[in-house]
Amino acid sequence: MERSKGYALMFLLGAFLAGGALGFSADRVIRAGHGREMRGPRAYRQRMAEELKLTPQQQASVDSLIEQKHRQIVALYKPYRPQLDSIAVVARVVSDSTHAQIKRLLNADQQARLDKMRAAARHELAERRGRDATSPPPGPPPGPPLY
């Protein structure tokens, strides 16, 4: 019974990883036609200011509110940071294990492509979060707030 639960869990994790890789690939294909837009917190604020046609005073007020919100959220996460870091480490181990198990099912060319897909997905995630791709993902992203 425990063995079948283990297989079911491995299957679900594998499906999750494969779904993430497919979603990442689909996103790349869809975005390819839209050109590369500016990204990140500043880009979002700039786009918001342009689309809402904010006056400079409104933009300064909105930026101030967003900065305040970000500081409050970071303060909320602070006591939980050690637990989140621990969870992130365990989640990375599970992810790495599943990746290795999937690689064993693939030929050498497929393994290389899977590794590139995973590296690209991690790089994209790190860019969005504003940190190194090897960093764990717990809590709110460091740096300026996203919006």
Side-chain angles (χ1 to χ4, degrees):
M1 188 61 127
E2 283 298 314
R3 191 174 196 162
S4 60
K5 283 183 184 178
Y7 285 136
L9 182 59
M10 284 191 303
F11 174 78
L12 288 174
L13 289 172
F16 179 75
L17 182 62
L22 289 173
F24 173 77
S25 298
D27 182 59
R28 287 289 182 159
V29 169
I30 290 169
R31 288 185 186 209
H34 294 94
R36 273 296 188 200
E37 299 175 7
M38 286 189 351
R39 293 166 36 171
R42 292 182 199 272
Y44 179 81
R45 289 182 185 184
Q46 182 64 37
R47 194 178 93 230
M48 184 168 73
E50 290 170 3
E51 289 184 20
L52 298 176
K53 297 179 178 23
L54 298 178
T55 66
Q57 183 180 4
Q58 287 175 315
Q59 189 170 359
S61 295
V62 167
D63 286 348
S64 177
L65 290 170
I66 290 171
E67 289 290 338
Q68 181 182 5
K69 176 209 62 152
H70 182 70
R71 284 191 301 274
Q72 290 171 339
I73 290 173
V74 168
L76 287 171
Y77 273 94
K78 192 171 187 172
Y80 303 102
R81 191 69 180 197
Q83 292 94 337
L84 293 171
D85 289 343
S86 295
I87 291 168
V89 168
V90 173
R92 179 59 70 99
V93 169
V94 170
S95 178
D96 290 346
S97 171
T98 303
H99 182 78
Q101 291 171 12
I102 291 170
K103 280 182 73 170
R104 286 194 288 269
L105 302 172
L106 307 176
N107 66 37
D109 181 55
Q110 291 170 321
Q111 289 176 359
R113 286 189 283 160
L114 178 66
D115 287 340
K116 285 181 185 176
M117 289 171 61
R118 186 178 199 211
R122 283 189 170 172
H123 179 74
E124 172 106 4
L125 182 62
E127 273 185 353
R128 284 187 290 163
R129 291 185 171 158
R131 64 173 157 243
D132 183 353
T134 60
S135 299
L146 295 176
Y147 53 88

